[in-house]
Amino acid sequence: MTITKGPGGFSIVQDFWSRGTSGNVVGQSYAWWDPHAKSYKSVWCDNMQGCTEFTTVVEKNTWTVELDSEADGENVHTVIHAAMSADHNTIHEEVTNSYNHGTAETATVSDYKRVVTGANEN
């Protein structure tokens, strides 16, 4: 996953790819503060489920996303819990999916670390 600032630095762009038991997933999301709704709005698009809009609830260094979509004719309820470390250098993320209103099962657990590009090597 790569996260960068969006246009003007007032949004976040996330580029994502994964190769795993769910297949090859390639996706991109945009998140921004909506002052009228007083919440973070987002849109996520990937090669498996298309695009979905959702709201992100942020509390200090943690955030939660809940979204509903469809995959292969099944209704999918996804919950994403993530937390950023106090030094802002790592993110721990857990994703669960519930298919057709069934029991939620862990889909992925990921740990992301900040990579600084262009650092002076001298």
Side-chain angles (χ1 to χ4, degrees):
M1 173 178 62
T2 303
I3 299 174
T4 56
K5 291 180 183 178
F10 299 107
S11 61
I12 297 169
V13 179
Q14 174 189 14
D15 289 304
F16 178 86
W17 63 268
S18 174
R19 293 181 182 93
T21 57
S22 298
N24 295 336
V25 179
V26 179
Q28 187 173 57
S29 73
Y30 296 87
W32 64 95
W33 176 254
D34 182 338
H36 300 292
K38 295 187 170 120
S39 63
Y40 289 94
K41 299 291 185 173
S42 302
V43 63
W44 165 263
C45 299
D46 67 39
N47 62 311
M48 298 184 83
Q49 298 181 38
C51 297
T52 305
E53 294 180 48
F54 55 92
T55 298
T56 302
V57 177
V58 178
E59 294 181 21
K60 297 185 181 181
N61 284 351
T62 66
W63 55 96
T64 302
V65 172
E66 289 194 50
L67 54 103
D68 294 299
S69 59
E70 187 176 300
D72 297 326
E74 294 186 274
N75 293 321
V76 183
H77 180 73
T78 301
V79 178
I80 303 169
H81 294 288
M84 183 178 292
S85 63
D87 65 5
H88 296 191
N89 286 320
T90 61
I91 296 173
H92 178 78
E93 177 184 78
E94 297 183 12
V95 178
T96 60
N97 288 324
S98 172
Y99 291 88
N100 296 320
H101 309 287
T103 303
E105 295 184 16
T106 300
T108 61
V109 176
S110 303
D111 289 297
Y112 302 101
K113 295 183 181 184
R114 180 185 303 270
V115 175
V116 179
T117 58
N120 186 353
E121 296 183 19
N122 293 331

